[in-house]
Amino acid sequence: MQSVVKAAGVGQLARATALAVPTNATLPAVSGAMAAAAPRSSVMTQVRSIHAGNVDVPDFSYYRRSSTKDPAADSKTSMESRAGFSYVLAGTLGVSGAYTAKALVNQFLSS
C-alpha cells in the first residue's frame, strides 16, 4: 500500500488505475451465523492521478442550441421556444407510438 501511494506521489502512475492491494491483517473472529456470511474477498484500492490542468475538456458548443451559446445572455428568454420544441417532439412520438401499437394489436387480433 505504501509503495502505491509513494508511486502516486512521485507521479509514476500515468493514468487512473485500480490495483489489488493484499492485506496482512486478519479478519476479526466471528462466530455462528455471521461467520458464514462474512465476506472473503480481497481489498481493492484505487489510486487516481488525474490533476487539474492535464485533462482536456471537450467543446460541446456544436451540440448546443444557438439560443443558448451566448454565456452573457439569459437562457430564460428562450426557454419557452426550447421547451415548446421538446413538448411537440415528445407528443408527436407518443401519438405515433400509440397509433403503431394500435395497428399492431389489430393485426394480431384479425389474424
Side-chain angles (χ1 to χ4, degrees), residues 55-60:
V55 178
D56 295 333
V57 178
D59 182 22
F60 293 107

Side-chain angles (χ1 to χ4, degrees), residues 11-100:
Q12 293 175 355
L13 299 177
R15 63 179 194 272
T17 59
L19 303 171
V21 178
T23 60
N24 295 332
T26 59
L27 293 174
V30 181
S31 62
M34 292 297 287
R40 302 284 180 196
S41 64
S42 65
V43 177
M44 296 293 290
T45 301
Q46 182 177 11
V47 178
R48 300 189 72 188
S49 59
I50 297 177
H51 303 289
N54 65 354
V55 178
D56 295 333
V57 178
D59 182 22
F60 293 107
S61 60
Y62 176 77
Y63 300 102
R64 294 179 65 185
R65 294 181 181 168
S66 59
S67 60
T68 60
K69 286 185 181 179
D70 186 14
D74 189 20
S75 64
K76 292 179 184 177
T77 57
S78 65
M79 190 195 78
E80 291 180 5
S81 65
R82 290 183 288 125
F85 174 76
S86 298
Y87 289 138
V88 167
L89 185 64
T92 303
L93 289 173
V95 168
S96 64
Y99 180 76
T100 304

